[in-house]
């Protein structure tokens, strides 16, 4: 029988997914509780967390607030997951802080996971920023209840937000929508407000209301924007990408639970803005962020915690929506020379529901803009058919290029599905199928004028941005 490890040898950080709060709580305590220094807005859900956080952060920045943001996973480089004032944190600040966190983890023998170390780094960066941050927008890593980000007290939580919930990560979160919703609603804090996005599954609202009852919280149900018909048709952009539509977004909730809560009436019930992020689902994401902004500037509890929220205006909300950027989600990316006139559509669709959303967007495009080639890479053990079926059954895709992606160095549990395995499933459809060994090979193999969409994984999207960034240096 092997001997147990010596107490003098602290456990090394583990890279495996291990949900739970004891390790992160211990680590943050040893770091002097940086997570209690900055008020946060906490966002969970399955789809749309990143877009909602981007809209909301942009609105808050346009309102003159000093804002931090934590999203995961990172897109290109690890420090991309942290923003301060709308810009990525400086690499040296991120790496220096993370080294300190890792040293404390080793010294105290915590054995934190890779994501727990990253979360502790984020909270520490936020706490040390000068001038001091007003607030931070924090996206859950996985789930909610036992996620490493779920450590901030109610007294420092301005809002909780829950975006659309779908089946995903069932191994960790539960096998049904109701079970997953219960875990994701675990971020709701006692006596706080919750903004709930519109849901495709009716049971989600009931589950969230049940958690709200337990936590004496209030649920604000967000509506959805609508496209405004403009009297004069607007020509397409010169680069052959769709122009942002003008939309009308509601400032009032569809409902408030419990109904005894009566908010002050807004000066206007809707706000018009041009929606910079494409896709029909952005009508919901932007409306969810706008309702959160409305709540932040009117809630007595939020204003008592952070009086400067009163600086949120209709104009700053409009400007914030229109200036939002979110790479990796229906992003029309200009390719570097010699393909400078070619645009690639990049989307991180990685589960069946997001693939259906991408398919819907593709079918909405005019024939001379719509991609006809799909470059796809998937994380193992995702079933390729679950992503291919929506994309090949209802769009103009006639060619599929299958490729692996580069596994992120800090997440060794992530690995790419073999390109040959994806290709074997793609051949079930009447399309041309190619197998390549890298994103570089896939993109460099595109013919001039070939219209392509890249999808299947955010890690694949990261490879694309890394490739473009390298060609631009």
């Amino acid at each position: 029988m092997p001997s147990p490890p010596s107490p003098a040898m602290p456990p090394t950080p583990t890279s495996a997914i291990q949900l739970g709060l004891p390790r992160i709580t211990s680590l943050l305590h040893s770091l002097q509780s940086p997570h209690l220094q900055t008020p946060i807005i906490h966002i969970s859900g399955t789809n749309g967390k990143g877009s909602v956080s981007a809209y909301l952060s942009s609105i808050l920045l346009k309102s003159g607030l000093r804002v931090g943001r934590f999203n995961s996973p990172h897109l290109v480089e690890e420090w991309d997951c942290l923003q301060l004032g709308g810009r990525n944190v400086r690499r040296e600040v991120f790496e220096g802080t993370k080294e300190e966190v890792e040293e404390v983890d080793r010294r105290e023998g915590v054995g934190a996971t890779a994501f727990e170390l990253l979360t502790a780094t984020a909270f520490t960066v936020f706490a040390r920023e000068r001038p001091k941050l007003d607030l931070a927008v924090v996206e859950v890593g996985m789930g909610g209840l036992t996620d490493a980000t779920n450590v901030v007290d109610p007294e420092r939580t301005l809002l909780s937000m829950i975006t659309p919930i779908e089946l995903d990560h069932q191994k960790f979160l539960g096998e049904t929508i109701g079970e997953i919703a219960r875990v994701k609603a675990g971020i709701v804090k006692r006596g706080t407000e919750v903004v709930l996005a519109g849901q495709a599954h009716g049971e989600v609202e009931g589950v969230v209301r049940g958690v709200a009852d337990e936590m004496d919280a209030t649920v604000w149900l967000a509506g959805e924007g609508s496209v405004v018909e403009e009297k004069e048709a607007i020509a397409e952009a010169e680069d052959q990408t769709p122009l942002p539509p003008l939309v009308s977004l509601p400032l009032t909730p569809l409902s408030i639970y419990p109904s005894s809560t009566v908010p002050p009436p807004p000066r206007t019930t809707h706000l018009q803005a041009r929606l910079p992020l494409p896709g029909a689902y952005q009508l919901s994401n932007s409306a969810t962020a706008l309702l959160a902004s409305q709540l932040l500037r009117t809630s007595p509890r939020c204003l008592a915690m952070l009086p400067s929220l009163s600086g949120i205006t209709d104009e700053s909300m409009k400007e914030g929506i229109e200036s939002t950027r979110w790479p990796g989600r229906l992003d029309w990316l200009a390719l570097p020379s010699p393909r400078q006139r070619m645009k690639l559509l990049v989307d991180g669709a990685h589960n069946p529901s997001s693939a259906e959303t991408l398919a819907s967007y593709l079918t909405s495009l005019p024939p001379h803009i719509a991609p006809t080639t799909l470059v796809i890479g998937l994380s193992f053990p995702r079933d390729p058919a679950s992503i291919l079926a929506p994309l090949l059954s209802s769009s103009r895709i006639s060619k599929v290029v299958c490729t692996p992606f580069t596994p992120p160095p800090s997440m060794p549990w992530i690995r790419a599905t073999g390109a040959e395995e994806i290709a074997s499933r793609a051949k079930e459809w009447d399309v041309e199928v190619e197998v390549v060994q890298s994103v570089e090979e896939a993109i460099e193999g595109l013919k001039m004028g070939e219209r392509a969409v890249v999808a299947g994984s955010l890690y694949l999207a990261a490879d694309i941005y890394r490739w473009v960034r390298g060609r631009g240096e």
Side-chain angles (χ1 to χ4, degrees), residues 84 112 160 193 226 291 310 383-384 386 391 399 464:
L84 299 170
S160 299
E193 290 99 350
S226 58
L291 180 61
S310 62
D383 176 12
S386 70
L391 297 176
K399 175 181 171 183
I464 293 290

Side-chain angles (χ1 to χ4, degrees), residues 110-332:
V110 175
T113 66
F115 183 69
E116 289 164 349
L117 293 171
L118 184 62
T119 301
T121 299
F123 283 128
T124 303
V125 168
F126 292 157
R128 291 179 177 176
E129 176 68 0
R130 294 295 180 272
K132 188 176 176 63
L133 293 178
D134 292 306
L135 75 164
V137 178
V138 176
E139 177 187 340
V140 160
M142 181 186 291
L145 179 63
T146 54
D147 184 75
T149 62
N150 197 28
V151 288
V152 179
D153 294 342
E155 293 76 19
R156 303 301 281 169
T157 301
L158 286 158
L159 286 180
S160 299
M161 302 179 67
I162 303 173
T163 65
I165 292 175
E166 294 287 348
L167 289 174
D168 205 17
H169 300 299
Q170 290 98 309
K171 177 180 176 182
F172 300 96
L173 306 180
E175 294 296 330
T176 68
I177 290 291
E179 290 172 347
I180 294 172
R182 176 78 189 187
V183 174
K184 291 182 181 290
I187 67 168
V188 175
K189 301 297 187 297
R190 185 165 299 281
T192 61
E193 290 99 350
V194 186
V195 174
L196 177 64
Q199 302 288 326
H201 304 280
E203 63 262 46
V204 171
E205 186 176 351
V207 170
V208 174
R209 285 185 172 192
V211 173
D213 284 336
E214 297 169 13
M215 304 302 292
D216 192 27
T218 305
V219 180
W220 293 51
L221 180 62
E224 186 172 290
S226 58
V227 177
V228 176
E229 289 191 21
E230 300 185 73
K231 294 181 180 179
E232 296 182 6
I234 299 177
E236 292 170 353
E238 292 183 4
D239 60 7
Q240 298 296 294
T241 57
L243 285 170
L246 181 66
V247 299
S248 177
L249 301 169
L251 286 169
T252 55
L254 290 178
S255 66
I256 302 175
Y257 180 85
S259 57
S260 56
T261 304
V262 181
R267 290 184 293 274
T268 57
T269 59
H270 288 75
L271 183 146
Q272 288 192 356
R274 293 208 172 272
L275 208 54
L277 305 186
Y281 57 87
Q282 296 298 350
L283 294 170
S284 171
N285 291 340
S286 56
T288 300
L290 198 68
L291 180 61
S293 304
Q294 175 68 11
L295 183 52
L296 288 168
R297 71 174 179 174
T298 58
S299 163
R301 179 182 169 277
C302 294
L303 289 169
M305 190 186 307
L306 190 60
S308 54
L309 290 170
S310 62
I312 299 174
T313 65
D314 288 1
E315 186 59 31
S316 67
M317 288 194 285
K318 178 178 184 295
E319 291 180 1
I321 291 289
E322 294 185 338
S323 62
T324 299
R325 298 294 178 267
W326 187 240
R329 299 296 186 186
L330 294 182
D331 186 16
W332 289 93

Side-chain angles (χ1 to χ4, degrees), residues 360-401:
S360 177
Y361 176 68
L362 294 176
T363 56
S364 74
L365 296 173
H368 65 287
I369 293 178
T372 56
T373 295
L374 168 66
V375 178
I376 185 169
L378 299 170
S379 293
F380 183 84
R382 178 75 64 191
D383 176 12
S386 70
I387 308 299
L388 289 167
L391 297 176
L392 301 184
S393 300
S394 60
S395 69
R396 300 179 179 89
I397 299 297
S398 59
K399 175 181 171 183
V400 178
V401 180

